[in-house]
Amino acid sequence: MTHDNEHGADSGVTKIFGALKSFGAPRLIIIGFLVILWILALTIKIPMPALFSDTLIRLGMNAVLTLAMLPSITGGTSLFFGLPLGIICGLLGGVMSIEMNLRGFTAFFGAIAMSLPLAVLVGLGYGWLMNRVKGSEMTVGTYIGFAFVSLMSFGWVTLPFHNPEMAWAIGKGVRVTVSLEGRFSGILNNFLSVTIAGVKIPTGALMFLTLMCLLVWLFYRTQLGHAMRFAGMNPKFAEASGINVNRMRILGIVISTILGAIGILVYAQGFGFLQLYNAPMYMGFIAAAGILIGGASLKSARISHVILGTFLFHGILVVALPVANTVATLGSLAEISRAIVSNGIILYALAQKGGES
Amino acid sequence: MAKGESCILKMQGITKDYFGTRVLKGIDLELKPGEIHGIVGENGAGKSTLMNILFGMPVIHSTGGYGGAIEVKGNPVSIGSPFDAMKLGIGMVHQEFMLIPGFSITENIKLNRELTKSTLFSKIFGPRLESLDIEAMGNDAKKALKSLDLGIDEWSKVAGLPVGHMQFIEIAREIDKSNIKVLVFDEPTAVLAESEAENLLKAVRKLAGEGVAILFITHRLHEIMAVCDRITVLRDGGMVTCVERTRTSMPELARLMVGRQLDEAVRIHPDTSAKPLALRIRNFSVDMPGETAKKIDLDVHEGEILGIGGLAGQGKIGIANGVMGLYPAKGEVSFFGKPLPLNNPKGAILEGLAFLSEDRRGVGLLLDMSIEMNIVSSAMVIQGKFLKKYGFFTQVDKAGVRRHALETIKNLDIRCKGPDQSVRRLSGGNQQKVCVAKALALDPKFLFVSEPTRGIDVGAKKLVLDTLVDLRDKLGLTIVMTSSELAELRTICDRIAIVNDGKIVGILAPNADDTDFGLMMAGDYDAR
Amino acid sequence: MSESVKSKNRGLSLGTRKFLTNNVVTILFVLVGLGGLKVSGLSIPFFLDDIINRVARNGFMVLALIIPVLAGLGLNFAVVLGAMAGQTAIIMATHWGFGGIGGILLCVVLSFPFAYVMGLLTGKLLNKTRGKEMITTLILGFFANGIYQLVYLILIGTIIPMNNEVLVLSSGVGLRTTIDLTDGLKFGLDNVVKIPLTLFSVLAGAAAAAGAVIQYLVRRRRPLGGKARLNWMVAGLVFGIASMVWGVYQMLNQSMFSFLRVPAVTFAVIVLLCWFIHYFTKTKLGQDMRTVGQDSHVADVAGIATDKIRVTAMIMSTVLAAWGQIIFLQNMGTFSTYGSHENVGMFAIASLLIGGASVAKATISQALIGTVLFHTMFIVSPLAGRVLFGDAQLGEFFRSFVAYGIIGLSLALHSWKKRMQGKLK
């Protein structure tokens, strides 16, 4: 929410330069890259409508996970590399919903409802820890996330889930990927979905995303939301204004954890599977890269960064794959470019002034 | 005065400009071998700038260098870096210790001047891989410590040593540099207990006896009188005088250090001593790093402007920060007769206290937020103002915020492009006004103001001070203003409390004698 | 060393208590390791054989982490980059058909420029991300992995010409996912000389005992206190003699142990590295690094080129990591082109931390002890998992949980402690 105030009412040229500068070089490069990919796709006659649909679907699937970065950054705990914790809460909700044999919207919202109390608890604990490791949130968060994922691998094997849909044919535990077919696969994507000029629009998913963004936006306009934002922006200022900074940091993390839990369920309905065990491990980096590409820094972020970043990042991945496959059959290019782009942008953000101290 | 040829160091007509402002206005300094030369002056008198020039610090050369000439042993020199200074035999004992606690005393004394010996390895891979000659290093360290009469094991770790010893290790390091000719002590006794300070002065005399010329910077006048041969007094970047110690006295030095023409007549305010007590502080201690306040007793009457003055680091800043709950404090504070909860910023604000922090940009403002959000920030999150309520749910009242901001901007005359401009782009004076506006949005009864004119250009300073007087006259606010600039305290305050070593030494009227102010600030009032 | 100096004048109980609290992690893992060993029912000779192998192949990499800790850069997750440099050299040597000790030496030479450049770039990056070094090296590892895959999966065969049916995928683009070193570099270093464990034990014991005595006599005037110095000498002597006695006893008894063989040269290389690090900390460069690591501001004021020192530390660590990976892979004999380097940093760091090191302090003995303990856990946990839970997989999950958890915990504790100290000041 900071940038729009900065471009004052200078003269036109400086205004444009200022805007470009605050927009940042990496963003311009990525937009340029995306444009080139689209032109390439056009010239090699990849069906455009399909690409558009895919981009929209990916946006709907990933944006809530990216949104989970926002409260943490604005609350003052930097990038939320503890995202796997929230994701696991969401996955637990999803698995429980299948175990209870729910279907359709009941299954989806039931999963969310069941994951919420877990996410709040986990977020509180994680937030408590983060207040003790100020200045090393990202490093500690990453490894706490990793450790939690491997601990939960333990859990996936031993927790008493019995629904045969999820169990291994032999042996104990839940499968690595659990199909959501007949549960809540595509429940948002297909809701009120329309096809315009060959482009299938995942109306439900986009509506849900809008709803989430709206809720977050409304939250930031409340008294509490302002207090949290002040605390994240300048802890000393907040302390002097009588705001309990540590509590605000925890609040940001709890909201992030909740959004992570909801985010993975939205992702799963689009993907069609719940991915358990090691799958959540690196999702935090993907989401972090999303919001950074959108223009956020380690200390400030806004909702528009979430949407723009998710669109750009996942847009590139969607277009890169078919383009690469047509140019030369290079199967892993999408994966590789994802690794390079996502980690590259995080490194770029780290090399900027400020952030973790 | 001594003739030039016998001088080891001679600085002549030294000037320095920072961004068009002249901070040093032609300083002359001569130093003979074995002489102890004192430099005294208030904060901002130019002592540290002068030393930065002597040491060729980057901060000098990145801002356009300096004017004037420096001679060492009669040869003109140009000191471009601290390394040059070191080569010329000029050393400094830093105010903050440049020691590594995890290292032994020897390693600290020999920091980056380690003795090495060649090995087979280093012959192949270069001198960087020569191994340390631990034994020789230890012997050197032992020698340096011995010359200071310091009987500690040269291999013990620095961590855990008493502060006094740490200072001596710094000195030992300088002595160990074989060519040391000039040694600068920058506020060396500031962190020392009295007995430790005695030892230090003894060591200083001993060094001088061995022919090292010493520049002794301090604000403790009795130490100056105890060790120095000659004394240079600086004030506002200018050189006031250079006198022999035997021809001056502490009161005179104090007067020379402080004395200045007041910009305008001291305002005479109605006597408020009959008014009820607004703030009553008893036995009040604040643990603020670098600004510790110890057992303060202070009364502030309703409707008065009380000044708190003193040198930097003496604890004056700690009082306001302690009452506002920003740093751990203990003692009794009552506010209009009601006990004030301590260590509770929210409680203090809700009681009707407001605070303009000395760290305006760090604590006072959200630099990247708009003016209007800065103004309403505290009032909104603490008092619940500027909000629309929907049951449990609240939303910011954007229209109300804008209305209030526009009104305040007009009243305080904040120069800006509009209420949505970010505060970072404002000038210092206007930023300070935004801080005032933020405090006023809380509708306070009482205002703490710390260093209100720090970093604000001269023209705007007066505006800020006038604003404070207006607040008292028009809104009936009680104000406690803390400032390092005695002149501005004397311009607007009704009474001025001087803090030294964490305690209030005395309370003076704004038109009291310069000598009294000077001695109180130097902590030598009782010694008079 | 410092512990023993500190406690020299205090009562034994206090000293013991201090020892326990300072080494709680290590002690815990000793217990876990012993417990796991018992539960898994492994025979001691079998276990010893495995652990000797694992220490030989992993020790070097763990030691490569010490220098950045010394320079205040924390745990260097970017040893992964060094590992990539090592693998690059191995791929080149394998492609050109080199093998044996000559091939290994070639790899050592070939990997150097790659590792040097990577270390240089990492160091420069870290100078831009001061205060965020660890998260930077961590992310840098992931980033470099992307670049690595780009090079070997896509550029090989398209931009970099490479004709090798064994190494390159049938499509002509990209390397195969596993590379077999059996006919080339496998055991290139290990097999130079392999001696029986018993003989090794006698020789090592003799060396330790002699070393302890010589050290005591020659370095008479070290700053270390007399009593502590004596303790070290006695400890070395006792260990050495015990090791010799055990070796001779097993030799005479012709027990299971006497059939175990030790890759003597590999161990010699590790010992050499230990000696080098030990020597290095007492050189001018090493002292500068320690100074920078303790307080870079003071180092700056003292005229030490802090940034340059930090870069040097990263280069050294990266080069050592490259060589460490070469040692690792020649022992494994086969490697997964796109996976072998991935966990290298994490396992090495976990080892170091289990040995009792922290973000700010790491010693050679911590590295070695940690390697033994971590790999003990590695060996026993799947077996213990099967015995305890009827599922070996659970043991593996436990293993990775411990590796991640110990890193997370240790980072958290360090940051916590630092904050507490900051508050006290």
Side-chain angles (χ1 to χ4, degrees), chain B residues 349-402:
Chain B
I349 292 172
L350 288 176
E351 288 291 333
L353 287 141
F355 179 42
L356 267 61
S357 171
E358 67 284 351
D359 184 1
R360 194 166 55 236
R361 294 166 69 85
V363 177
L365 294 169
L366 294 162
L367 289 174
D368 289 320
M369 275 244 169
S370 62
I371 294 172
E372 57 183 356
M373 282 316 290
N374 268 283
I375 293 177
V376 300
S377 56
S378 297
M380 182 197 296
V381 295
I382 298 305
Q383 297 176 327
K385 291 178 185 167
F386 307 107
L387 290 169
K388 289 181 191 155
K389 295 199 171 57
Y390 306 92
F392 283 117
F393 202 65
T394 54
Q395 287 285 286
V396 58
D397 174 13
K398 284 268 179 193
V401 169
R402 178 58 57 91

Side-chain angles (χ1 to χ4, degrees), chain C residues 157-327:
Chain C
T158 50
I159 292 176
I160 306 165
M162 186 161 165
N163 276 324
N164 190 324
E165 279 176 18
V166 186
L167 293 180
V168 180
L169 288 165
S170 52
S171 64
V173 176
L175 292 185
R176 289 183 193 279
T177 47
T178 47
I179 292 176
D180 189 7
L181 305 177
T182 314
D183 300 326
L185 295 165
K186 187 171 184 182
F187 295 143
L189 192 63
D190 290 356
N191 278 359
V192 175
V193 182
K194 273 205 158 185
I195 58 173
L197 174 65
T198 45
L199 178 60
F200 183 78
S201 173
V202 171
L203 291 178
V213 173
I214 291 172
Q215 186 83 2
Y216 181 74
L217 294 177
V218 173
R219 305 284 168 102
R220 185 179 288 274
R221 295 198 210 159
R222 299 310 302 276
L224 201 58
K227 199 177 164 195
R229 212 156 53 92
L230 188 70
N231 288 345
W232 275 101
M233 196 271 285
V234 170
L237 211 56
V238 167
F239 169 79
I241 291 170
S243 168
M244 280 159 72
V245 168
W246 183 84
V248 172
Y249 175 78
Q250 300 294 350
M251 224 187 285
L252 296 175
N253 271 10
Q254 290 286 314
S255 72
M256 280 293 288
F257 293 106
S258 57
F259 298 111
L260 301 180
R261 315 233 138 207
V262 176
V265 178
T266 313
F267 272 104
V269 168
I270 291 176
V271 169
L272 202 65
L273 179 62
C274 291
W275 173 82
F276 171 75
I277 292 173
H278 178 78
Y279 168 82
F280 178 75
T281 54
K282 294 185 166 50
T283 62
K284 174 68 180 128
L285 184 58
Q287 182 75 2
D288 285 356
M289 240 172 231
R290 287 178 59 216
T291 310
V292 172
Q294 296 267 334
D295 190 330
S296 74
H297 175 60
V298 172
D300 257 338
V301 174
I304 297 171
T306 337
D307 280 4
K308 229 171 131 185
I309 295 284
R310 287 158 55 98
V311 172
T312 311
M314 275 330 276
I315 292 174
M316 290 179 71
S317 177
T318 313
V319 169
L320 289 178
W323 295 344
Q325 187 73 354
I326 295 169
I327 293 177

Side-chain angles (χ1 to χ4, degrees), chain B residues 91-108:
Chain B
M92 164 108 110
V93 176
H94 296 271
Q95 190 176 357
E96 44 174 321
F97 300 140
M98 291 299 165
L99 296 175
I100 292 180
F103 278 10
S104 67
I105 293 177
T106 303
E107 285 170 299
N108 271 293

